[in-house]
Amino acid sequence: MAQQTPEEMRSRAMFVRALGKFVYADGRADIGEVKSMIALAHALSANDPEMAAFEKLLVGIAEDGIVDPSESKQIAAFIGKMLAQSAQAEGVYDARTLGLPKMGLLGVQHMFAMFGATILVPILTGLSPSATLLFAGLGTLLFHFLTKRMVPAFLGSSFAFLAGYFALTGLAGTAGYEKMTKDVMLQYASIGVAASAVVYFIVAAFVKACGVKTVMKFFPPVVTGPIIIGIGLVLAPVAVNSCESCWPVAIIAILTVIFFSVWGKGMLKIIPILMGVIVSYLANVVFGFLGWADKIDYSKVADAAWVGLPFQWSNTTFPVLASPDKGLLVTSLCIVVPIAFATIMEHVGDISAISSTVKRNFFANPGLHRTMLGDGLATAMAALFGAPANTTYGENTGVLSLSKVYDPRVIRIAACLAVLVSFCPKFSAFIGTIPGATIGGVSFILYGMIAAVGVRNLVESQVDLGKSRNMLIAAIILVLTLGISFSKAGAIKFACGGVNFALSGLAVGALVGIVLNAVLPGKDFAFSESAPGIKDPDRFGGPKA
């Protein structure tokens, strides 16, 4: 079928709605209704041979209203095909219709999408990768339980708290902390991360008490759209830097994702990320033998055990909490807890991105207070057991946008797989062999998709950038977010009470954008808790509202 114009798309939507109501029984059809269907089909038949054939079939029926068995069979097949295409275009909200094997593959794709970034945080900080996987999975399941199983979000490692981890571990061995090792300081940093969840609880309580409409006055699309764009663009250099380890492998990953997204058929069309990982991994193996890329080192895979515990008690925060250094405890809280204000803004942006992608209003149902509570509790649980802070993952939002499978059941499959593989050190070691260029290639697409979702958020919300206030807010958010993030310092640093702080570009851009939107006149956004609304909560496995 040829590329459709907007007018043709609207006509096609009208035709599909009419098809759903088309009645023909006992070998007869209403002639007036048939003629109406002919008119709708005729508007689309010029560029669609199947539509032309259906129009011809209807013309024959319109003469006497009689539908013979052969015609009835043709009509039923055509209606079934059209309705299936329409449902696929809207998105798959109940993955059970795809079958268990396909649901499993989709779950694997989501696990792979989050794996690279999630594992990178413990690699950078020194935390346990296995514990990270365990509590990413458990945190996601807890989040789904608290959000009535409606929100298709995966919780992975938060990069926002890296500054806190690095600030505290950097104090090890310095004046006043001579006896503190890096591992101990890492435990204190984890305590600070766990305590930051209190900020989530306070904001969640405010949302519950005052209503999401009150809170959303501070987070209109003119603010959240540029924030989402900023999240994607700030991550872009991370993807490019990973690609630089072997651009041929990265390009193969990118082209594979593009190919299966555009020209893939059936199941292959909705697992482009997984196919990108597999094809580029195999390409790296071949290139390694040919000397065009570094060979993959499997020694750690061979040495790793098949079954093992994801974490050790000595690496959790509980031994330190039994007898803490009070001064160091206060220092860790002062350094880490303020970061939560930035991650909360990031959370609002992520929920906005997911709502925009899935075409459901998750701010209204299950409610922003529930998503914040779920994120905060998941973060506290992970941090107490020595894993990184959790956050709703943009990578998985990118997968939702590409696959158009929006059922949270698929995310929960990915969460269960993450928990399962956390008990298999050998599998974790194998995943660790995925080349950086492969991760960079798929991230190249996913991070771009995050930014594109931000643009779509602005467009679909019909933000009037012709108004000076809206243009200024969007411009300042983007310049602050990108400018600070890519500056030499990388953040705005200052000292308070002898403690050094660092605010990321995203935190500053979001904060300034919220303040500007609050003080500048001419607000034109009115948040509605009923639009777009949850059309069918049962599709998401949740109770009816």
Side-chain angles (χ1 to χ4, degrees), residues 359-374:
K359 303 178 183 67
R360 296 292 185 269
N361 186 358
F362 295 126
F363 288 103
N365 191 5
L368 184 61
H369 64 289
R370 283 182 173 271
T371 65
M372 282 192 177
L373 180 63

Side-chain angles (χ1 to χ4, degrees), residues 152-441:
F154 193 99
L155 272 60
S157 301
S158 172
F159 282 79
F161 285 97
L162 285 176
Y165 288 118
F166 292 151
L168 279 164
T169 54
L171 295 175
T174 62
Y177 304 100
E178 292 86 355
K179 296 182 180 180
M180 295 295 176
T181 64
K182 181 180 178 180
D183 289 340
V184 172
M185 298 302 283
L186 202 56
Q187 290 172 305
Y188 276 96
S190 295
I191 293 172
V193 172
S196 69
V198 175
V199 179
Y200 279 86
F201 304 154
I202 293 172
V203 175
F206 179 74
V207 172
K208 179 64 175 176
C210 301
V212 65
K213 200 168 186 177
T214 301
V215 177
M216 285 308 296
K217 289 180 181 178
F218 299 96
F219 302 101
V222 71
V223 173
T224 56
I227 290 175
I228 298 168
I229 294 171
I231 292 172
L233 296 182
V234 165
L235 290 171
V238 178
V240 174
N241 290 336
S242 296
C243 291
E244 287 178 347
S245 61
C246 185
W247 271 107
V249 171
I251 290 173
I252 288 174
I254 293 169
L255 293 178
T256 301
V257 173
I258 293 173
F259 177 83
F260 284 102
S261 297
V262 178
W263 293 289
K265 301 295 183 182
M267 185 62 188
L268 293 178
K269 187 176 179 64
I270 57 178
I271 55 169
I273 302 299
L274 183 57
M275 294 306 299
V277 171
I278 293 173
V279 173
S280 62
Y281 187 99
L282 294 175
N284 196 99
V285 171
V286 174
F287 289 173
F289 280 112
L290 295 175
W292 299 347
D294 293 335
K295 286 187 176 182
I296 298 174
D297 183 6
Y298 293 101
S299 59
K300 291 184 179 179
V301 179
D303 295 338
W306 281 103
V307 179
L309 293 175
F311 64 89
Q312 297 179 355
W313 184 257
S314 60
N315 292 331
T316 68
T317 61
F318 299 108
V320 171
L321 286 172
S323 181
D325 180 314
K326 294 182 180 179
L328 184 54
L329 186 61
V330 172
T331 299
S332 68
L333 296 179
C334 290
I335 290 176
V336 179
V337 170
I339 298 174
F341 290 102
T343 59
I344 285 174
M345 295 173 191
E346 189 177 341
H347 173 87
V348 173
D350 286 338
I351 296 300
S352 179
I354 295 171
S355 295
S356 177
T357 299
V358 178
K359 303 178 183 67
R360 296 292 185 269
N361 186 358
F362 295 126
F363 288 103
N365 191 5
L368 184 61
H369 64 289
R370 283 182 173 271
T371 65
M372 282 192 177
L373 180 63
D375 203 337
L377 283 174
T379 290
M381 177 176 66
L384 288 173
F385 285 89
N390 281 336
T391 186
T392 44
Y393 244 38
E395 287 87 341
N396 293 86
T397 303
V399 173
L400 291 173
S401 184
L402 278 173
S403 69
K404 295 188 181 298
V405 177
Y406 305 140
D407 191 342
R409 294 181 184 88
V410 173
I411 305 291
R412 292 195 286 272
I413 290 173
C416 292
L417 290 173
V419 171
L420 184 64
V421 299
S422 72
F423 287 89
C424 180
K426 190 174 287 290
F427 182 82
S428 297
F430 176 77
I431 294 299
T433 66
I434 295 177
T438 292
I439 294 174

